[in-house]
Amino acid sequence: MAALGWLTPRRRSATARSVLAGEAAAEAARKTSADDDSALLTGTSGEAPEEPAFPVAGDDRAAAFFDLDNTVMQGAAIFHFGRGLYKRKFFERRELTRFAWQQAWFRLAGVEDPEHMQDARDSALSIVKGHRVSELMSIGEEIYDEYMADRIWPGTRALAQAHLDAGQKVWLVTAAPVETATIIARRLGLTGALGTVAESVDGVYTGRLVGEPLHGPAKAEAVRALAAAEGLDLDRCAAYSDSHNDIPMLSLVGHPYAINPDTKLRKHARARDWRLRDYRTGRKAAKVGIPAAAGVGALAGGTAAAVALHRRRR
């Protein structure tokens, strides 16, 4: 299984590895997509956002593509998954402290730092190497209930429901492992997920990726490949993300939305009159808070250091 691993420069075009990662994600998504009968959401809490004029009911050539981290869910899925694996003794306390520090940095700084993401990817690949895919899928179901279920943004979930109610397919598109993303999509009643594909042989992870992490240009390639396979018209599709790194994906569709946008994406969206939604409250630095990694005393010191560093850089 792969981790976030956001390594691509922010403004480069797709490479052969991006295309490979995108095509692998599209193929995996179509194989593991949820049944049409499961595309119903229940128990949405909080106030639903104002109903948009889009989507158009009955347009089966339209679909919606949602980024996961900080768009659909608070924080990064791979870090929550790492906490669950630590609880099950897949790795040591020191490695969990590193996961917690990376999560704190991600949520304080609000940026996807290549060095931190490289470390997260390498950590996750080494942890799951030699384990069976079926084992990680089963554990992933438990981890979703423990760490992820209560981190879903109700507003974004309502937007996804609007597309489902209109009879359209809804896909997650994320650099998180495709297995983790597929679990989240299924539990939310979505169609399926495009995610980073880790190589497996005879159902066992090898510790290598197929292509590269599904990030930046690779996300756009995955959406493009899936749209071609599904017979979708991208001009009639929608995409949702919080990050300027997803501008290539957002620019592909006729209906781009900036959700809980970072500063660069907000500026880009306003310049192009894209729709914006922000479900966070309070001061920007505290909008999504700092997660507490249970059982890790060292997190307090790491979080304090992150806060201090963040303040010095403001």
Side-chain angles (χ1 to χ4, degrees):
M1 184 177 297
L4 288 173
W6 291 316
L7 307 178
T8 55
R10 293 192 173 105
R11 293 189 178 180
R12 74 179 178 100
S13 59
T15 65
R17 291 179 65 83
S18 296
V19 174
L20 177 60
E23 290 177 348
E27 181 180 358
R30 298 193 77 212
K31 287 180 179 178
T32 59
S33 63
D35 294 336
D36 291 342
D37 292 341
S38 69
L40 294 174
L41 298 178
T42 58
T44 300
S45 60
E47 295 184 5
E50 180 181 350
E51 184 176 353
F54 182 80
V56 178
D59 186 357
D60 60 4
R61 294 200 64 202
F65 302 94
F66 284 78
D67 169 55
L68 176 58
D69 297 340
N70 211 35
T71 301
V72 171
M73 182 177 68
Q74 299 177 42
I78 189 61
F79 294 108
H80 301 314
F81 187 72
R83 291 172 64 190
L85 292 182
Y86 168 78
K87 180 180 178 181
R88 291 158 177 83
K89 303 186 184 303
F90 269 67
F91 53 92
E92 301 299 322
R93 181 188 182 108
R94 177 170 57 88
E95 293 173 289
L96 179 60
T97 303
R98 183 169 58 186
F99 268 108
W101 162 254
Q102 290 161 344
Q103 172 74 334
W105 176 270
F106 172 77
R107 298 176 75 173
L108 273 173
V111 295
E112 299 163 350
D113 183 82
E115 291 184 8
H116 287 81
M117 295 307 107
Q118 166 91 49
D119 193 27
R121 188 195 77 169
D122 292 345
S123 297
L125 285 173
S126 64
I127 288 167
V128 303
K129 181 179 179 181
H131 287 277
R132 299 198 66 82
V133 176
S134 58
E135 176 190 10
L136 272 295
M137 288 291 288
S138 178
I139 291 174
E141 296 281 358
E142 299 172 3
I143 293 174
Y144 176 84
D145 291 326
E146 293 170 4
Y147 297 110
M148 302 181 189
D150 62 353
R151 296 179 180 274
I152 304 300
W153 291 109
T156 311
R157 192 176 182 185
L159 291 174
Q161 183 63 54
H163 287 278
L164 295 171
D165 291 344
Q168 297 175 5
K169 292 183 177 181
V170 178
W171 304 84
L172 292 181
V173 188
T174 174
V178 66
E179 294 85 358
T180 301
T182 297
I183 290 170
I184 296 170
R186 182 170 62 248
R187 298 296 287 273
L188 293 178
L190 309 183
T191 307
L194 298 152
T196 297
V197 178
E199 181 184 77
S200 63
V201 176
D202 297 328
V204 178
Y205 290 113
T206 66
R208 295 186 294 269
L209 295 184
V210 178
E212 64 183 11
L214 200 72
H215 173 66
K219 278 191 178 181
E221 293 300 323
V223 169
R224 197 192 313 274
L226 184 64
E230 294 276 313
L232 301 174
D233 181 350
L234 286 171
D235 287 338
R236 290 145 72 173
C237 291
Y240 300 78
S241 178
D242 71 297
S243 173
H244 68 280
N245 292 295
D246 287 339
I247 287 175
M249 177 181 76
L250 295 169
S251 299
L252 268 185
V253 301
H255 301 273
Y257 284 74
I259 305 295
N260 305 328
D262 61 28
T263 301
K264 290 183 180 179
L265 178 58
R266 184 181 295 273
K267 181 178 180 181
H268 188 92
R270 283 177 171 168
R272 287 155 182 78
D273 200 28
W274 291 356
R275 295 185 181 183
L276 288 87
R277 299 283 189 275
D278 201 324
Y279 303 119
R280 301 166 296 184
T281 58
R283 292 179 57 208
K284 182 175 182 181
K287 280 176 180 175
V288 293
I290 300 299
V296 186
L299 176 58
T303 298
V307 171
L309 178 60
H310 177 68
R311 286 174 175 170
R312 288 199 300 271
R313 291 192 173 189
R314 283 193 303 176

